[in-house]
Amino acid sequence: MKKVSIIFTIIIASVFLNSCYRDSEEGLYRFVPAYCDTTNVAYASVISAIVSTNCLTCHTGSGAGGGFALDSYAGMKAVVDNGKLITSITSTSKPMPKTGLMDNCSINKITAWVNKGAPNN
């Protein structure tokens, strides 16, 4: 009986120790982390950097993907005004960028900027 108890304890311990070793907080929970500040989101300092990192490989110049050039404020504002920006970055069926959804903090910063009227600041 003692051997069975020891084996059972080892099995249970190994299950708990190995069950979540690759999970990340970002992947498990869709919430705004405490370190994601969306209060002072400006186009010039925040949004353009997110777009540069995630979007400009496809959405730049005259041959921009989907016909949406996001390499200027005017291009971004046009996509905001037609309602496609938020839909594109939050869609799970057709995620943008094509490599997969961007991180939650970036999505929340863009959403906050759009909700403030997408100012050119």
Side-chain angles (χ1 to χ4, degrees):
M1 185 67 172
K2 194 172 189 177
K3 280 186 176 182
V4 172
S5 180
I6 292 171
I7 292 172
F8 182 72
T9 303
I10 291 171
I11 291 171
I12 295 297
S14 68
V15 168
F16 281 114
L17 293 174
N18 292 316
S19 62
C20 297
Y21 74 101
R22 289 183 187 222
D23 293 337
S24 66
E25 186 174 295
E26 185 77 20
L28 289 172
Y29 308 106
R30 305 258 323 152
F31 68 94
V32 180
Y35 57 86
C36 185
D37 182 12
T38 60
T39 56
N40 297 313
V41 179
Y43 174 77
S45 61
V46 177
I47 301 303
S48 63
I50 293 171
V51 170
S52 178
T53 301
N54 293 284
C55 310
L56 293 187
T57 55
C58 297
H59 295 282
T60 188
S62 60
F68 301 111
L70 304 178
D71 52 356
S72 68
Y73 173 77
M76 282 293 295
K77 185 68 168 140
V79 178
V80 168
D81 290 346
N82 71 18
K84 294 193 181 219
L85 180 64
I86 299 300
T87 302
S88 295
I89 64 172
T90 59
S91 172
T92 54
S93 63
K94 245 183 127 175
M96 288 290 154
K98 289 189 180 210
T99 56
L101 287 175
M102 64 181 76
D103 65 277
N104 289 329
C105 188
S106 295
I107 291 171
N108 288 322
K109 286 178 180 182
I110 291 171
T111 302
W113 175 71
V114 169
N115 288 341
K116 291 177 185 173
N120 187 6
N121 52 359

mmCIF file of all heavy atoms in Angstrom, residues 20-67:
data_model
loop_
_atom_site.group_PDB
_atom_site.id
_atom_site.type_symbol
_atom_site.label_atom_id
_atom_site.label_comp_id
_atom_site.label_asym_id
_atom_site.label_seq_id
_atom_site.Cartn_x
_atom_site.Cartn_y
_atom_site.Cartn_z
ATOM 1 N N CYS A 20 1.856 23.112 -17.532
ATOM 2 C CA CYS A 20 1.785 24.460 -18.103
ATOM 3 C C CYS A 20 3.151 25.045 -18.422
ATOM 4 O O CYS A 20 3.329 26.257 -18.421
ATOM 5 C CB CYS A 20 1.063 25.389 -17.138
ATOM 6 S SG CYS A 20 -0.647 24.917 -16.857
ATOM 7 N N TYR A 21 4.106 24.256 -18.737
ATOM 8 C CA TYR A 21 5.459 24.764 -18.887
ATOM 9 C C TYR A 21 5.648 25.668 -20.092
ATOM 10 O O TYR A 21 6.553 26.467 -20.128
ATOM 11 C CB TYR A 21 6.471 23.622 -18.899
ATOM 12 C CG TYR A 21 6.496 22.804 -20.170
ATOM 13 C CD1 TYR A 21 7.485 23.021 -21.116
ATOM 14 C CD2 TYR A 21 5.546 21.836 -20.417
ATOM 15 C CE1 TYR A 21 7.522 22.281 -22.279
ATOM 16 C CE2 TYR A 21 5.576 21.093 -21.563
ATOM 17 C CZ TYR A 21 6.567 21.315 -22.502
ATOM 18 O OH TYR A 21 6.599 20.594 -23.640
ATOM 19 N N ARG A 22 4.794 25.607 -21.118
ATOM 20 C CA ARG A 22 4.948 26.458 -22.296
ATOM 21 C C ARG A 22 3.922 27.586 -22.351
ATOM 22 O O ARG A 22 3.937 28.386 -23.261
ATOM 23 C CB ARG A 22 4.837 25.636 -23.567
ATOM 24 C CG ARG A 22 6.026 24.755 -23.782
ATOM 25 C CD ARG A 22 5.897 24.028 -25.080
ATOM 26 N NE ARG A 22 6.971 23.073 -25.184
ATOM 27 C CZ ARG A 22 7.648 22.855 -26.264
ATOM 28 N NH1 ARG A 22 7.373 23.496 -27.355
ATOM 29 N NH2 ARG A 22 8.614 21.971 -26.275
ATOM 30 N N ASP A 23 3.009 27.613 -21.431
ATOM 31 C CA ASP A 23 1.974 28.630 -21.451
ATOM 32 C C ASP A 23 2.535 29.974 -21.008
ATOM 33 O O ASP A 23 3.389 30.059 -20.133
ATOM 34 C CB ASP A 23 0.819 28.242 -20.531
ATOM 35 C CG ASP A 23 0.074 27.024 -21.031
ATOM 36 O OD1 ASP A 23 0.155 26.753 -22.239
ATOM 37 O OD2 ASP A 23 -0.582 26.361 -20.218
ATOM 38 N N SER A 24 2.061 31.019 -21.638
ATOM 39 C CA SER A 24 2.437 32.360 -21.222
ATOM 40 C C SER A 24 1.177 33.089 -20.781
ATOM 41 O O SER A 24 0.070 32.761 -21.213
ATOM 42 C CB SER A 24 3.082 33.126 -22.386
ATOM 43 O OG SER A 24 2.128 33.352 -23.400
ATOM 44 N N GLU A 25 1.336 34.073 -19.956
ATOM 45 C CA GLU A 25 0.196 34.844 -19.480
ATOM 46 C C GLU A 25 -0.543 35.479 -20.653
ATOM 47 O O GLU A 25 -1.758 35.476 -20.709
ATOM 48 C CB GLU A 25 0.679 35.920 -18.508
ATOM 49 C CG GLU A 25 -0.438 36.672 -17.840
ATOM 50 C CD GLU A 25 0.075 37.606 -16.789
ATOM 51 O OE1 GLU A 25 0.633 37.139 -15.785
ATOM 52 O OE2 GLU A 25 -0.079 38.820 -16.989
ATOM 53 N N GLU A 26 0.203 36.016 -21.607
ATOM 54 C CA GLU A 26 -0.382 36.655 -22.781
ATOM 55 C C GLU A 26 -1.215 35.655 -23.588
ATOM 56 O O GLU A 26 -2.274 35.984 -24.092
ATOM 57 C CB GLU A 26 0.732 37.235 -23.659
ATOM 58 C CG GLU A 26 0.231 38.025 -24.833
ATOM 59 C CD GLU A 26 -0.268 39.401 -24.475
ATOM 60 O OE1 GLU A 26 0.090 39.924 -23.413
ATOM 61 O OE2 GLU A 26 -1.029 39.957 -25.266
ATOM 62 N N GLY A 27 -0.737 34.432 -23.706
ATOM 63 C CA GLY A 27 -1.451 33.426 -24.470
ATOM 64 C C GLY A 27 -2.663 32.857 -23.757
ATOM 65 O O GLY A 27 -3.620 32.435 -24.383
ATOM 66 N N LEU A 28 -2.619 32.829 -22.442
ATOM 67 C CA LEU A 28 -3.708 32.253 -21.667
ATOM 68 C C LEU A 28 -4.855 33.210 -21.423
ATOM 69 O O LEU A 28 -6.012 32.818 -21.409
ATOM 70 C CB LEU A 28 -3.183 31.765 -20.310
ATOM 71 C CG LEU A 28 -2.290 30.538 -20.343
ATOM 72 C CD1 LEU A 28 -1.691 30.293 -18.967
ATOM 73 C CD2 LEU A 28 -3.067 29.323 -20.802
ATOM 74 N N TYR A 29 -4.548 34.465 -21.214
ATOM 75 C CA TYR A 29 -5.563 35.425 -20.814
ATOM 76 C C TYR A 29 -5.600 36.597 -21.778
ATOM 77 O O TYR A 29 -4.573 37.175 -22.087
ATOM 78 C CB TYR A 29 -5.276 35.947 -19.405
ATOM 79 C CG TYR A 29 -5.066 34.845 -18.404
ATOM 80 C CD1 TYR A 29 -3.809 34.554 -17.926
ATOM 81 C CD2 TYR A 29 -6.127 34.071 -17.968
ATOM 82 C CE1 TYR A 29 -3.601 33.527 -17.018
ATOM 83 C CE2 TYR A 29 -5.927 33.047 -17.069
ATOM 84 C CZ TYR A 29 -4.674 32.789 -16.586
ATOM 85 O OH TYR A 29 -4.478 31.776 -15.701
ATOM 86 N N ARG A 30 -6.789 36.988 -22.219
ATOM 87 C CA ARG A 30 -6.946 38.124 -23.111
ATOM 88 C C ARG A 30 -7.386 39.321 -22.256
ATOM 89 O O ARG A 30 -8.549 39.658 -22.165
ATOM 90 C CB ARG A 30 -7.987 37.837 -24.189
ATOM 91 C CG ARG A 30 -7.714 36.601 -24.966
ATOM 92 C CD ARG A 30 -7.131 36.690 -26.291
ATOM 93 N NE ARG A 30 -7.495 37.744 -27.146
ATOM 94 C CZ ARG A 30 -6.662 38.180 -28.070
ATOM 95 N NH1 ARG A 30 -5.480 37.642 -28.204
ATOM 96 N NH2 ARG A 30 -7.008 39.146 -28.865
ATOM 97 N N PHE A 31 -6.444 39.926 -21.576
ATOM 98 C CA PHE A 31 -6.730 41.091 -20.763
ATOM 99 C C PHE A 31 -5.579 42.080 -20.888
ATOM 100 O O PHE A 31 -4.537 41.767 -21.411
ATOM 101 C CB PHE A 31 -6.948 40.714 -19.295
ATOM 102 C CG PHE A 31 -5.698 40.216 -18.609
ATOM 103 C CD1 PHE A 31 -4.896 41.079 -17.896
ATOM 104 C CD2 PHE A 31 -5.333 38.886 -18.684
ATOM 105 C CE1 PHE A 31 -3.744 40.623 -17.282
ATOM 106 C CE2 PHE A 31 -4.191 38.431 -18.062
ATOM 107 C CZ PHE A 31 -3.400 39.293 -17.365
ATOM 108 N N VAL A 32 -5.820 43.283 -20.413
ATOM 109 C CA VAL A 32 -4.780 44.299 -20.471
ATOM 110 C C VAL A 32 -3.867 44.110 -19.267
ATOM 111 O O VAL A 32 -4.297 44.266 -18.128
ATOM 112 C CB VAL A 32 -5.386 45.724 -20.426
ATOM 113 C CG1 VAL A 32 -4.300 46.770 -20.477
ATOM 114 C CG2 VAL A 32 -6.369 45.913 -21.555
ATOM 115 N N PRO A 33 -2.616 43.754 -19.484
ATOM 116 C CA PRO A 33 -1.699 43.588 -18.363
ATOM 117 C C PRO A 33 -1.472 44.915 -17.632
ATOM 118 O O PRO A 33 -1.673 45.987 -18.204
ATOM 119 C CB PRO A 33 -0.403 43.117 -19.021
ATOM 120 C CG PRO A 33 -0.763 42.716 -20.402
ATOM 121 C CD PRO A 33 -2.002 43.465 -20.763
ATOM 122 N N ALA A 34 -1.042 44.836 -16.409
ATOM 123 C CA ALA A 34 -0.835 46.032 -15.599
ATOM 124 C C ALA A 34 0.186 46.980 -16.231
ATOM 125 O O ALA A 34 0.122 48.185 -16.041
ATOM 126 C CB ALA A 34 -0.385 45.630 -14.198
ATOM 127 N N TYR A 35 1.118 46.465 -17.006
ATOM 128 C CA TYR A 35 2.161 47.297 -17.598
ATOM 129 C C TYR A 35 1.758 47.915 -18.930
ATOM 130 O O TYR A 35 2.544 48.601 -19.561
ATOM 131 C CB TYR A 35 3.444 46.477 -17.775
ATOM 132 C CG TYR A 35 3.257 45.238 -18.618
ATOM 133 C CD1 TYR A 35 3.362 45.288 -20.001
ATOM 134 C CD2 TYR A 35 2.957 44.023 -18.023
ATOM 135 C CE1 TYR A 35 3.182 44.159 -20.768
ATOM 136 C CE2 TYR A 35 2.767 42.887 -18.783
ATOM 137 C CZ TYR A 35 2.886 42.966 -20.165
ATOM 138 O OH TYR A 35 2.697 41.849 -20.917
ATOM 139 N N CYS A 36 0.542 47.731 -19.383
ATOM 140 C CA CYS A 36 0.087 48.271 -20.664
ATOM 141 C C CYS A 36 -0.651 49.583 -20.422
ATOM 142 O O CYS A 36 -1.818 49.603 -20.070
ATOM 143 C CB CYS A 36 -0.824 47.273 -21.379
ATOM 144 S SG CYS A 36 -1.294 47.823 -23.024
ATOM 145 N N ASP A 37 0.026 50.683 -20.654
ATOM 146 C CA ASP A 37 -0.549 52.002 -20.430
ATOM 147 C C ASP A 37 -1.222 52.499 -21.701
ATOM 148 O O ASP A 37 -0.566 52.769 -22.703
ATOM 149 C CB ASP A 37 0.553 52.972 -19.988
ATOM 150 C CG ASP A 37 0.033 54.361 -19.697
ATOM 151 O OD1 ASP A 37 -1.200 54.538 -19.615
ATOM 152 O OD2 ASP A 37 0.857 55.272 -19.534
ATOM 153 N N THR A 38 -2.528 52.637 -21.662
ATOM 154 C CA THR A 38 -3.280 53.114 -22.822
ATOM 155 C C THR A 38 -3.815 54.533 -22.608
ATOM 156 O O THR A 38 -4.638 54.995 -23.387
ATOM 157 C CB THR A 38 -4.460 52.172 -23.126
ATOM 158 O OG1 THR A 38 -5.323 52.120 -21.992
ATOM 159 C CG2 THR A 38 -3.986 50.784 -23.492
ATOM 160 N N THR A 39 -3.333 55.219 -21.591
ATOM 161 C CA THR A 39 -3.866 56.554 -21.286
ATOM 162 C C THR A 39 -3.300 57.644 -22.184
ATOM 163 O O THR A 39 -4.022 58.561 -22.550
ATOM 164 C CB THR A 39 -3.615 56.929 -19.814
ATOM 165 O OG1 THR A 39 -2.219 56.834 -19.545
ATOM 166 C CG2 THR A 39 -4.387 56.026 -18.879
ATOM 167 N N ASN A 40 -2.054 57.600 -22.527
ATOM 168 C CA ASN A 40 -1.427 58.654 -23.335
ATOM 169 C C ASN A 40 -0.899 58.096 -24.650
ATOM 170 O O ASN A 40 0.286 58.151 -24.931
ATOM 171 C CB ASN A 40 -0.280 59.309 -22.550
ATOM 172 C CG ASN A 40 -0.781 59.990 -21.304
ATOM 173 O OD1 ASN A 40 -1.757 60.725 -21.343
ATOM 174 N ND2 ASN A 40 -0.135 59.735 -20.183
ATOM 175 N N VAL A 41 -1.798 57.577 -25.453
ATOM 176 C CA VAL A 41 -1.407 56.964 -26.713
ATOM 177 C C VAL A 41 -1.436 58.023 -27.807
ATOM 178 O O VAL A 41 -2.475 58.591 -28.096
ATOM 179 C CB VAL A 41 -2.343 55.790 -27.071
ATOM 180 C CG1 VAL A 41 -1.952 55.179 -28.390
ATOM 181 C CG2 VAL A 41 -2.317 54.743 -25.973
ATOM 182 N N ALA A 42 -0.278 58.281 -28.388
ATOM 183 C CA ALA A 42 -0.162 59.269 -29.460
ATOM 184 C C ALA A 42 0.239 58.576 -30.756
ATOM 185 O O ALA A 42 0.968 57.583 -30.736
ATOM 186 C CB ALA A 42 0.877 60.323 -29.091
ATOM 187 N N TYR A 43 -0.226 59.118 -31.876
ATOM 188 C CA TYR A 43 0.103 58.525 -33.168
ATOM 189 C C TYR A 43 1.615 58.511 -33.401
ATOM 190 O O TYR A 43 2.188 57.477 -33.727
ATOM 191 C CB TYR A 43 -0.602 59.264 -34.316
ATOM 192 C CG TYR A 43 -0.159 58.751 -35.656
ATOM 193 C CD1 TYR A 43 -0.634 57.545 -36.140
ATOM 194 C CD2 TYR A 43 0.782 59.436 -36.418
ATOM 195 C CE1 TYR A 43 -0.201 57.030 -37.346
ATOM 196 C CE2 TYR A 43 1.223 58.934 -37.627
ATOM 197 C CZ TYR A 43 0.732 57.727 -38.093
ATOM 198 O OH TYR A 43 1.186 57.222 -39.283
ATOM 199 N N ALA A 44 2.254 59.653 -33.227
ATOM 200 C CA ALA A 44 3.673 59.789 -33.579
ATOM 201 C C ALA A 44 4.584 58.891 -32.745
ATOM 202 O O ALA A 44 5.524 58.303 -33.272
ATOM 203 C CB ALA A 44 4.106 61.240 -33.449
ATOM 204 N N SER A 45 4.300 58.763 -31.471
ATOM 205 C CA SER A 45 5.223 58.031 -30.608
ATOM 206 C C SER A 45 4.841 56.576 -30.350
ATOM 207 O O SER A 45 5.704 55.751 -30.079
ATOM 208 C CB SER A 45 5.367 58.746 -29.267
ATOM 209 O OG SER A 45 4.112 58.817 -28.615
ATOM 210 N N VAL A 46 3.572 56.243 -30.453
ATOM 211 C CA VAL A 46 3.141 54.892 -30.092
ATOM 212 C C VAL A 46 2.560 54.134 -31.291
ATOM 213 O O VAL A 46 3.049 53.063 -31.655
ATOM 214 C CB VAL A 46 2.106 54.933 -28.932
ATOM 215 C CG1 VAL A 46 1.601 53.541 -28.606
ATOM 216 C CG2 VAL A 46 2.699 55.593 -27.706
ATOM 217 N N ILE A 47 1.530 54.691 -31.893
ATOM 218 C CA ILE A 47 0.813 53.992 -32.962
ATOM 219 C C ILE A 47 1.711 53.736 -34.167
ATOM 220 O O ILE A 47 1.746 52.627 -34.707
ATOM 221 C CB ILE A 47 -0.458 54.762 -33.376
ATOM 222 C CG1 ILE A 47 -1.399 54.941 -32.176
ATOM 223 C CG2 ILE A 47 -1.166 54.057 -34.528
ATOM 224 C CD1 ILE A 47 -1.825 53.661 -31.491
ATOM 225 N N SER A 48 2.455 54.750 -34.585
ATOM 226 C CA SER A 48 3.316 54.562 -35.763
ATOM 227 C C SER A 48 4.373 53.475 -35.516
ATOM 228 O O SER A 48 4.726 52.735 -36.434
ATOM 229 C CB SER A 48 3.965 55.872 -36.187
ATOM 230 O OG SER A 48 4.805 56.361 -35.173
ATOM 231 N N ALA A 49 4.851 53.351 -34.292
ATOM 232 C CA ALA A 49 5.828 52.295 -33.969
ATOM 233 C C ALA A 49 5.185 50.912 -34.030
ATOM 234 O O ALA A 49 5.785 49.961 -34.547
ATOM 235 C CB ALA A 49 6.424 52.541 -32.586
ATOM 236 N N ILE A 50 3.968 50.784 -33.524
ATOM 237 C CA ILE A 50 3.257 49.502 -33.580
ATOM 238 C C ILE A 50 2.993 49.121 -35.033
ATOM 239 O O ILE A 50 3.220 47.981 -35.447
ATOM 240 C CB ILE A 50 1.929 49.573 -32.787
ATOM 241 C CG1 ILE A 50 2.200 49.742 -31.298
ATOM 242 C CG2 ILE A 50 1.088 48.320 -33.040
ATOM 243 C CD1 ILE A 50 0.960 50.048 -30.469
ATOM 244 N N VAL A 51 2.539 50.090 -35.827
ATOM 245 C CA VAL A 51 2.241 49.838 -37.241
ATOM 246 C C VAL A 51 3.516 49.475 -37.992
ATOM 247 O O VAL A 51 3.533 48.551 -38.805
ATOM 248 C CB VAL A 51 1.539 51.053 -37.874
ATOM 249 C CG1 VAL A 51 1.435 50.925 -39.380
ATOM 250 C CG2 VAL A 51 0.153 51.234 -37.259
ATOM 251 N N SER A 52 4.590 50.175 -37.704
ATOM 252 C CA SER A 52 5.866 49.893 -38.360
ATOM 253 C C SER A 52 6.326 48.466 -38.095
ATOM 254 O O SER A 52 6.778 47.763 -38.992
ATOM 255 C CB SER A 52 6.918 50.888 -37.880
ATOM 256 O OG SER A 52 8.157 50.614 -38.455
ATOM 257 N N THR A 53 6.169 48.025 -36.875
ATOM 258 C CA THR A 53 6.590 46.679 -36.482
ATOM 259 C C THR A 53 5.690 45.589 -37.048
ATOM 260 O O THR A 53 6.171 44.535 -37.456
ATOM 261 C CB THR A 53 6.607 46.561 -34.938
ATOM 262 O OG1 THR A 53 7.504 47.536 -34.425
ATOM 263 C CG2 THR A 53 7.029 45.185 -34.483
ATOM 264 N N ASN A 54 4.389 45.841 -37.096
ATOM 265 C CA ASN A 54 3.432 44.788 -37.421
ATOM 266 C C ASN A 54 2.802 44.841 -38.808
ATOM 267 O O ASN A 54 2.314 43.824 -39.283
ATOM 268 C CB ASN A 54 2.291 44.798 -36.392
ATOM 269 C CG ASN A 54 2.744 44.394 -35.025
ATOM 270 O OD1 ASN A 54 2.959 43.228 -34.771
ATOM 271 N ND2 ASN A 54 2.908 45.361 -34.139
ATOM 272 N N CYS A 55 2.792 46.011 -39.451
ATOM 273 C CA CYS A 55 1.958 46.164 -40.648
ATOM 274 C C CYS A 55 2.695 46.553 -41.927
ATOM 275 O O CYS A 55 2.230 46.244 -43.021
ATOM 276 C CB CYS A 55 0.877 47.212 -40.395
ATOM 277 S SG CYS A 55 -0.053 46.966 -38.865
ATOM 278 N N LEU A 56 3.796 47.256 -41.799
ATOM 279 C CA LEU A 56 4.405 47.850 -42.986
ATOM 280 C C LEU A 56 5.087 46.873 -43.929
ATOM 281 O O LEU A 56 5.404 47.245 -45.061
ATOM 282 C CB LEU A 56 5.365 48.969 -42.589
ATOM 283 C CG LEU A 56 4.705 50.199 -41.961
ATOM 284 C CD1 LEU A 56 5.722 51.306 -41.760
ATOM 285 C CD2 LEU A 56 3.524 50.691 -42.771
ATOM 286 N N THR A 57 5.293 45.646 -43.540
ATOM 287 C CA THR A 57 5.858 44.687 -44.487
ATOM 288 C C THR A 57 4.896 44.450 -45.645
ATOM 289 O O THR A 57 5.329 44.140 -46.752
ATOM 290 C CB THR A 57 6.203 43.340 -43.812
ATOM 291 O OG1 THR A 57 5.036 42.844 -43.159
ATOM 292 C CG2 THR A 57 7.328 43.497 -42.824
ATOM 293 N N CYS A 58 3.595 44.627 -45.417
ATOM 294 C CA CYS A 58 2.594 44.426 -46.476
ATOM 295 C C CYS A 58 1.872 45.712 -46.886
ATOM 296 O O CYS A 58 1.469 45.848 -48.034
ATOM 297 C CB CYS A 58 1.534 43.425 -46.021
ATOM 298 S SG CYS A 58 2.177 41.777 -45.701
ATOM 299 N N HIS A 59 1.670 46.611 -45.938
ATOM 300 C CA HIS A 59 0.814 47.780 -46.177
ATOM 301 C C HIS A 59 1.628 49.068 -46.326
ATOM 302 O O HIS A 59 1.536 49.971 -45.496
ATOM 303 C CB HIS A 59 -0.196 47.932 -45.039
ATOM 304 C CG HIS A 59 -1.169 46.806 -44.970
ATOM 305 N ND1 HIS A 59 -2.245 46.695 -45.816
ATOM 306 C CD2 HIS A 59 -1.216 45.717 -44.158
ATOM 307 C CE1 HIS A 59 -2.915 45.604 -45.527
ATOM 308 N NE2 HIS A 59 -2.313 44.987 -44.520
ATOM 309 N N THR A 60 2.372 49.141 -47.413
ATOM 310 C CA THR A 60 3.157 50.345 -47.680
ATOM 311 C C THR A 60 3.208 50.611 -49.174
ATOM 312 O O THR A 60 3.195 49.682 -49.982
ATOM 313 C CB THR A 60 4.583 50.229 -47.083
ATOM 314 O OG1 THR A 60 5.246 51.458 -47.197
ATOM 315 C CG2 THR A 60 5.390 49.146 -47.733
ATOM 316 N N GLY A 61 3.234 51.871 -49.533
ATOM 317 C CA GLY A 61 3.381 52.275 -50.929
ATOM 318 C C GLY A 61 2.172 51.986 -51.801
ATOM 319 O O GLY A 61 1.094 51.646 -51.325
ATOM 320 N N SER A 62 2.364 52.110 -53.109
ATOM 321 C CA SER A 62 1.256 51.967 -54.057
ATOM 322 C C SER A 62 0.779 50.523 -54.197
ATOM 323 O O SER A 62 -0.351 50.284 -54.592
ATOM 324 C CB SER A 62 1.676 52.505 -55.426
ATOM 325 O OG SER A 62 2.790 51.782 -55.910
ATOM 326 N N GLY A 63 1.607 49.557 -53.863
ATOM 327 C CA GLY A 63 1.210 48.155 -53.952
ATOM 328 C C GLY A 63 0.795 47.575 -52.620
ATOM 329 O O GLY A 63 0.954 46.377 -52.375
ATOM 330 N N ALA A 64 0.273 48.395 -51.754
ATOM 331 C CA ALA A 64 -0.078 47.968 -50.399
ATOM 332 C C ALA A 64 -1.129 46.864 -50.405
ATOM 333 O O ALA A 64 -2.068 46.891 -51.203
ATOM 334 C CB ALA A 64 -0.587 49.158 -49.596
ATOM 335 N N GLY A 65 -0.937 45.920 -49.509
ATOM 336 C CA GLY A 65 -1.877 44.811 -49.363
ATOM 337 C C GLY A 65 -3.290 45.290 -49.097
ATOM 338 O O GLY A 65 -3.510 46.169 -48.270
ATOM 339 N N GLY A 66 -4.252 44.733 -49.825
ATOM 340 C CA GLY A 66 -5.654 45.107 -49.644
ATOM 341 C C GLY A 66 -5.960 46.521 -50.079
ATOM 342 O O GLY A 66 -7.060 47.019 -49.862
ATOM 343 N N GLY A 67 -4.958 47.197 -50.661
ATOM 344 C CA GLY A 67 -5.158 48.587 -51.069
ATOM 345 C C GLY A 67 -5.060 49.576 -49.924
ATOM 346 O O GLY A 67 -5.425 50.739 -50.069
#
